[in-house]
Amino acid sequence: MSSVNRLEPPGLLTVLASQFICGINMASRPARTTSKPRAASSDMLARSKIPVWIVKALLSNGVKRVSKLAAMTDDELLAIPGIGKRAVELIRSVLGAFDGGRSKR
């Protein structure tokens, strides 16, 4: 039998060693997952014209999107710490202007 150099795939240890030498850290890379489609940036609460103090109160309670905020009732908003009657009035006035601008297009 003649000696033939066959190329075999590198073993796991060889691959890990070469990644370590090259500075590639596979553990730090995020796993590829299917992500949800991103909402339009215009739907982001932080980009709205709602006052910052109201946005902070809403964000700390999980409200991140204008569309979610628009779907909330006044009672739901008033249940959020830091949101009172004046905040609800400001939110409704900004959302009214927001919806009014959309319907004109």
Side-chain angles (χ1 to χ4, degrees):
M1 274 176 41
S2 64
S3 173
V4 178
N5 288 336
R6 285 194 272 163
L7 295 175
E8 293 184 21
L12 179 61
L13 187 56
T14 307
V15 170
L16 292 175
S18 66
Q19 290 174 352
F20 178 76
I21 292 168
C22 295
I24 300 172
N25 185 356
M26 297 299 285
S28 69
R29 291 186 181 176
R32 291 185 183 179
T33 59
T34 351
S35 61
K36 295 186 278 183
R38 300 185 107 188
S41 63
S42 62
D43 191 35
M44 299 301 296
L45 189 60
R47 295 181 186 254
S48 69
K49 295 189 180 202
I50 296 172
V52 176
W53 62 275
I54 297 174
V55 171
K56 286 181 181 181
L58 293 169
L59 289 175
S60 67
N61 285 281
V63 181
K64 299 178 184 176
R65 309 228 180 268
V66 174
S67 56
K68 183 176 179 180
L69 179 62
M72 295 178 77
T73 65
D74 289 355
D75 290 335
E76 291 172 326
L77 289 171
L78 290 169
I80 296 173
I83 303 294
K85 291 180 182 179
R86 176 71 181 137
V88 172
E89 290 172 8
L90 289 169
I91 290 168
R92 295 300 177 209
S93 68
V94 170
L95 290 179
F98 179 77
D99 290 337
R102 284 191 148 199
S103 62
K104 290 179 183 177
R105 287 183 184 175

